[in-house]
Amino acid sequence: MAKGRKNGLYSGISEELSALMRTGWADTEQHDLQPDEQAPHAALRRAALSARFPGERLVIPSGNLKVRSNDDTYPFRPHSAYVHMTGDRARDGALVLEPRPDGSHDAYCFQLPRDSRDNDEFWTGPTAELWMGRRRSLAESERVLGLPCRDVRTAAGDLAAAAGVPTRIVRGVDPVLEAAVSTDEELDAALEEALSDLRLVKDDWEIGELRKAVDSTVRGFTDAVGELSGAVASSERWIEGTFLRRARLEGNAVGYGTICAAGDHATIMHWTDNDGPVRPGELLLFDAGVETHTLYTADVTRTLPISGTFTPVQRKVYDAVYEAQEAGFAAVKPGAAYRDFHDAAQRCLAVRLVEWGFIEGPAERAFELGLQRRFTMAGTGHMLGLDVHDCAQARHEEYVGGALEPGMVLTVEPGLYFQPDDLTVPEEWRGIGVRIEDDLLVTEDGHENLSAGLPRSAGDVEAWMARFAG
């Protein structure tokens, strides 16, 4: 029986209550479940992973609940590599690729089965089914995932008993399973690299999910603009809450911490406190993305004049960022170096900063020395998918040092940020932060802007706000 709370109101369970709780339950086994639509795609991904590691056992855990405070846990979100290889989103699971003599693998999935009604585990304790909701049975999971499924409660013992098989595991996800296997840190890192490499090019199913994420995000931005007056009357959190409603209605949640940065806060790259005032005459930098039920996320940013119209200085900064994004867009095409879109956007920003007298020219020298980074701070984009910064552990030569291929999805997001205490720029520029971010799919002949449903140019943004802003 689960350990009770120190200050719980009940000191124990009588035999009579225990007997009562174990009786009178209907059989709820679902026999008509169909394979998940992602299952065949996940099978192909596993085959690609298998081919990279012949003769080795591979263990990819989903992860466990994490404590938020006392006995309250965070909402569970499985490790992205596990999701990619299985399509599953359950906690306390693990995919295992067991090596065959011919170098291929047998795949199976450890899962947490349903709680038994023959004892008190199904209704006692904060992680019991009657507290957290029904789980799939092992047989149900097999039908949905297209994988043999085993009871995860035997996983540590099963893996430890086969100690002679060369094994790699994704580290830092499930400490119990990690302790059960003998592995090498460098070899494990290579497994994680391979898992990231295999996510660089999205299959058709994944692209469809990213379209859903972006489409919901476009609707969420329109919602937020429509409730801008509520933010003016309260704080940045009104915008955050408005967008979250759309994300929870149409998807799993937000894909990352929403940034609602008004005024000086727009110069802070990852402002997520979202507790500041929203004042007419200033800018609101709004960076948000809906995460689908299958955990693919969008990542879009718009910078909005809170009064509905840019001031002359605000528009000058905005137009420079827009020009840089246009240059970045033009560099996104198959065969181009990944860095090309970043370099193109940064060169544009360097030209403007030299023109304004904020950095010493000539512009090409400033770019080579990275002087524009005082005001641009970050890179101009990143891969996008299951993680907002997707494929983060991929090999450098396959990602930043590689070339773009059809099926890759990435963000292009130049920005300019003039800190409120920066004495190197005129006072009227201080506290202005502008970022424009869109999600691009690399196609056979160029790219497609998945987030084109939102306006980008200064004039189009003003017209959009005039139509929707409350």
Side-chain angles (χ1 to χ4, degrees):
M1 187 182 77
K3 183 179 179 181
R5 293 177 178 174
K6 180 177 180 180
N7 288 299
L9 292 174
Y10 296 108
S11 59
I13 299 171
S14 67
E15 291 184 6
E16 291 78 6
L17 174 58
S18 179
L20 174 64
M21 289 299 295
R22 297 183 198 188
T23 60
W25 301 103
D27 179 7
T28 62
E29 182 74 11
Q30 301 177 41
H31 299 281
D32 58 350
L33 293 175
Q34 299 299 311
D36 187 273
E37 63 178 8
Q38 189 176 180
H41 299 279
L44 292 174
R45 300 167 199 159
R46 293 193 296 271
L49 181 65
S50 169
R52 297 196 180 201
F53 299 99
E56 299 184 67
R57 174 190 287 123
L58 309 177
V59 182
I60 306 166
S62 70
N64 320 118
L65 291 172
K66 291 181 172 58
V67 173
R68 180 180 183 274
S69 175
N70 191 20
D71 58 358
D72 180 40
T73 58
Y74 287 102
F76 177 70
R77 205 278 191 184
H79 192 278
S80 294
Y82 175 82
V83 176
H84 191 239
M85 287 289 147
T86 65
D88 186 40
R89 296 177 292 281
R91 65 181 174 92
D92 300 316
L95 171 69
V96 178
L97 297 188
E98 197 72 40
R100 293 174 175 169
D102 64 2
S104 63
H105 291 81
D106 289 318
Y108 60 89
C109 207
F110 282 115
Q111 295 266 290
L112 186 62
R114 298 203 63 205
D115 289 336
S116 172
R117 300 298 173 100
D118 295 331
N119 55 46
D120 295 320
E121 68 180 14
F122 75 97
W123 70 281
T124 56
T127 62
E129 279 193 284
L130 286 196
W131 288 78
M132 296 194 73
R134 184 188 188 279
R135 297 191 292 271
R136 288 195 303 246
S137 70
L138 295 182
E140 290 169 349
S141 288
E142 288 187 348
R143 286 192 286 274
V144 171
L145 303 180
L147 279 169
C149 291
R150 306 180 184 182
D151 190 335
V152 74
R153 292 173 295 188
T154 70
D158 293 350
L159 294 173
V165 181
T167 300
R168 300 181 193 233
I169 190 171
V170 177
R171 294 190 175 214
V173 182
D174 190 317
V176 173
L177 296 185
E178 195 172 321
V181 295
S182 177
T183 63
D184 177 272
E185 185 173 353
E186 187 174 334
L187 296 180
D188 290 344
L191 169 61
E192 195 160 6
E193 279 184 343
L195 288 163
S196 272
D197 286 353
L198 290 170
R199 285 173 27 212
L200 284 167
V201 176
K202 272 58 180 178
D203 59 40
D204 290 344
W205 184 88
E206 292 180 285
I207 292 169
E209 291 303 295
L210 285 165
R211 289 186 189 280
K212 292 177 187 175
V214 172
D215 289 348
S216 289
T217 298
V218 168
R219 289 188 284 273
F221 269 71
T222 304
D223 294 340
V225 168
E227 296 201 17
L228 192 56
S229 61
V232 172
S234 55
S235 76
E236 298 160 338
R237 290 191 180 178
W238 190 273
I239 299 297
E240 179 184 10
T242 299
F243 187 83
L244 178 61
R245 181 178 65 235
R246 176 69 67 174
R248 289 291 281 164
L249 281 171
E250 297 191 3
N252 178 57
V254 291
Y256 54 95
T258 300
I259 297 168
C260 299
D264 292 354
H265 291 161
T267 67
I268 302 172
M269 293 297 296
H270 288 164
W271 173 259
T272 56
D273 286 354
N274 300 336
D275 59 356
V278 178
R279 293 182 285 248
E282 297 182 334
L283 297 177
L284 171 69
L285 191 155
F286 180 29
D287 184 337
V290 172
E291 179 184 74
T292 65
H293 293 293
T294 57
L295 308 186
Y296 286 80
T297 187
D299 182 9
V300 177
T301 306
R302 289 295 182 268
T303 304
L304 311 173
I306 296 166
S307 62
T309 305
F310 292 100
T311 68
V313 172
Q314 290 169 352
R315 189 170 187 128
K316 185 177 289 191
V317 177
Y318 191 96
D319 286 347
V321 174
Y322 176 76
E323 177 187 39
Q325 194 190 35
E326 286 281 278
F329 276 17
V332 175
K333 52 192 173 185
Y338 174 83
R339 298 188 60 92
D340 285 355
F341 78 90
H342 165 74
D343 290 346
Q346 291 292 305
R347 277 190 167 91
C348 273
L349 296 177
V351 167
R352 293 298 170 215
L353 290 164
V354 169
E355 177 186 298
W356 296 333
F358 298 164
I359 58 177
E360 184 179 345
E364 187 60 27
R365 172 185 175 275
F367 168 75
E368 294 296 336
L369 295 175
L371 302 185
Q372 80 284 354
R373 292 180 60 188
R374 177 182 178 101
F375 306 105
T376 65
M377 309 254 293
T380 312
H382 50 80
M383 292 295 182
L384 185 68
L386 279 165
D387 294 334
V388 65
H389 295 151
D390 207 31
C391 314
Q393 301 306 316
R395 290 171 294 170
H396 183 273
E397 61 270 25
E398 295 294 322
Y399 189 164
V400 174
L404 297 179
E405 299 179 40
M408 289 181 169
V409 180
L410 63 149
T411 68
V412 178
E413 51 173 314
L416 284 172
Y417 313 93
F418 299 101
Q419 302 301 322
D421 57 349
D422 189 344
L423 301 181
T424 70
V425 300
E427 185 174 359
E428 64 267 26
W429 294 68
R430 297 173 200 163
I432 292 177
V434 173
R435 180 164 66 251
I436 313 171
E437 178 180 19
D438 286 271
D439 302 342
L440 270 60
L441 166 67
V442 183
T443 62
E444 294 290 343
D445 57 357
H447 66 263
E448 177 189 351
N449 181 6
L450 300 179
S451 45
L454 289 175
R456 291 192 300 121
S457 71
D460 287 347
V461 167
E462 289 176 341
W464 177 53
M465 294 185 67
R467 180 181 177 191
F468 289 105

